Amino acid sequence: MTKNYAFVIDKNGKSLAPTNINKAWILIRKKKATLANKYPMLIQLNYEVEEDKQECQFICGIDDGSNHVGIAIVQKCKTRNKAVFKGTIEQRKDVKGLIDTRRGYRRYKRSHKRYRQPRFDNRSSSTRKGRVAPSILQKKEAIIRVINKLKKWINITEFHLEDVAIDIRALTEGKKLYKWQYQKSNRLDENIRKAVILRDKCKCMECAKSNCMLEVHHIVPKRLQGANSLSNLITLCSKCHDKTKGIEEKYIEHYQKMIDGNNVRFDYAQHVMQGKTWLRKELSKLGKLILSTGGDTANKRIDWNIEKSHSNDAIVVADLKVNNDECDIKDWIIKPMRRKSKTKVEELKGFRHRDLVKYTKRNGESYIAYITALYPNKKQCNMTTIEGKVLKRYGVKPLKLLWRFNKIYWF
């Protein structure tokens, strides 16, 4: 049976050791505690606790990633260790698009101003040393936001972070290279276009024409995050290139077989590596920081017979041997949301934007979702379920409020 723990604080807000969620409800029914937060559960005792009787230490393990981040808290006791919290942070993916949209608005506005001399290199924030791109920085800030929230509820003294050191060249080649192979260039020419044409012997790989205008074609198009690398580029004549426009997906497998190529995405790996120095610096301010490696995580997970997942990897990163049974706890899905809300309607029938609700249909089927839009004229709303399904124009009458939104979603 999956266990679930509740965080505990005393009357003065001092964090104590977590307790089983059933015991927490018993304390609430006996009026010895009150419910301070429902997701995740936090109870506040009605009395002051001078000292925590359990001599234990709480260690936070973090399995950093670009799209998903595993986070776990392991309790180190004298007799045994146990995981008291684990979850997966789902990072936002819309930041770059929002920044691009804002850039477009700014450029449009400036182009319609009265003429002035163009200015260059006048953005001090963009040229400062140690700057992290906003799309990457917000992912690291989301991790810190979640940890700061957890630190209010539990006394975390130590952080274990899996150090990210990804071999981009090995990803490109599809294998681990030896020392001297790293010094040997994998480019046929300093210009990627020339390199592709030279590799394909200056002819179209589709129709074999050579005495014509040659084009270098992205097998997986850039709009689908296709890499600008030799393994994702092929030489085509203008006629063959034109026939692929708009339907590039149909030719991906065909062209990859021709050059024995593949499309390896480097952006996820690079995003984690580019922001890791900033994350280390911020975690060091919150407590003692210890780094580990992905190889150690994999080996320990196998030795301890723990199922692979982002949150379970975070338990292993904490470097406290935990039995497989102790890992069978509630696995939270954590979604840090943007702080500013653009909603124009404050409240409708007691419901607010971003509230977590339960919608029950007439046939008994129900959804757990959060409100994304409110329409007061027709008493309707838009919702997004935990699984990501979008529900549009649903009436608010069958809604039941589960919990009022507070900066971070915990599912």
Side-chain angles (χ1 to χ4, degrees), residues 153-366:
W153 303 333
I154 190 167
N155 184 26
I156 303 171
T157 57
E158 200 170 291
F159 297 92
H160 289 226
L161 176 65
E162 185 177 282
D163 185 27
V164 181
I166 298 170
D167 192 339
I168 300 296
R169 183 69 184 275
L171 282 177
T172 307
E173 302 292 334
K175 61 182 179 180
K176 188 73 175 174
L177 305 181
Y178 196 60
K179 299 174 184 177
W180 60 269
Q181 291 177 310
Y182 285 97
Q183 299 171 2
K184 185 179 177 181
S185 175
N186 65 338
R187 300 280 289 270
L188 303 175
D189 192 271
E190 71 280 357
N191 184 299
I192 187 69
R193 183 179 183 277
K194 290 181 181 178
V196 175
I197 294 173
L198 287 173
R199 182 201 63 193
D200 296 340
K201 299 179 181 179
C202 302
K203 66 178 182 179
C204 174
M205 296 297 287
E206 183 70 41
C207 64
K209 285 184 182 178
S210 57
N211 189 19
C212 62
M213 177 63 74
L214 296 175
E215 303 280 354
V216 173
H217 170 69
H218 284 83
I219 298 174
V220 177
K222 298 197 79 173
R223 60 184 168 82
L224 298 178
Q225 307 300 325
N228 195 34
S229 62
L230 280 172
S231 59
N232 191 49
L233 294 170
I234 190 171
T235 306
L236 299 175
C237 67
S238 298
K239 188 176 180 180
C240 293
H241 188 240
D242 288 342
K243 76 177 184 180
T244 66
K245 288 183 179 178
I247 52 172
E248 293 90 348
E249 297 92 330
K250 294 182 179 181
Y251 294 90
I252 290 176
E253 188 176 350
H254 174 59
Y255 288 152
Q256 281 182 344
K257 286 181 179 178
M258 281 186 174
I259 63 167
D260 193 24
N262 62 341
N263 179 53
V264 181
R265 292 191 63 172
F266 304 125
D267 53 346
Y268 292 151
Q270 290 169 338
H271 284 187
V272 180
M273 293 178 69
Q274 288 170 0
K276 68 178 184 180
T277 303
W278 186 93
L279 181 61
R280 288 181 192 174
K281 184 178 177 181
E282 294 300 314
L283 286 173
S284 299
K285 295 177 184 177
L286 300 176
K288 184 180 178 181
L289 177 62
I290 297 175
L291 300 178
S292 64
T293 64
D296 288 340
T297 303
N299 292 336
K300 289 174 183 176
R301 186 182 65 248
I302 294 169
D303 292 342
W304 299 348
N305 193 28
I306 295 176
E307 185 180 353
K308 180 171 175 55
S309 69
H310 295 289
S311 53
N312 282 346
D313 277 359
I315 293 175
V316 178
V317 170
D319 201 26
L320 295 173
K321 187 173 182 180
V322 179
N323 295 328
N324 190 32
D325 295 339
E326 298 293 344
C327 294
D328 188 20
I329 62 173
K330 164 75 175 175
D331 194 352
W332 292 93
I333 298 173
I334 308 166
K335 289 187 178 183
M337 304 295 287
R338 63 183 299 176
R339 296 177 188 271
K340 293 183 179 179
S341 174
K342 293 184 177 181
T343 181
K344 296 179 181 178
V345 181
E346 289 291 332
E347 190 171 319
L348 177 62
K349 295 288 185 179
F351 298 102
R352 298 178 186 173
H353 190 244
R354 294 179 172 178
D355 280 350
L356 187 66
V357 296
K358 182 177 181 180
Y359 182 89
T360 305
K361 299 173 76 173
R362 291 180 181 177
N363 60 4
E365 186 181 354
S366 61

Side-chain angles (χ1 to χ4, degrees), residues 4 43 59 84 100 108 141 150 178 187 195 287 302 304 311 317 350:
N4 198 354
I43 62 170
I59 296 174
V84 295
D100 290 341
Y108 178 83
E141 288 177 336
L150 292 172
Y178 196 60
R187 300 280 289 270
I302 294 169
W304 299 348
S311 53
V317 170

Side-chain angles (χ1 to χ4, degrees), residues 111-128:
S111 65
H112 286 72
K113 281 184 174 181
R114 61 182 175 80
Y115 179 77
R116 62 168 172 77
Q117 284 293 112
R119 301 171 186 174
F120 302 96
D121 296 332
N122 63 334
R123 296 286 179 113
S124 59
S125 63
S126 299
T127 57
R128 70 178 184 271

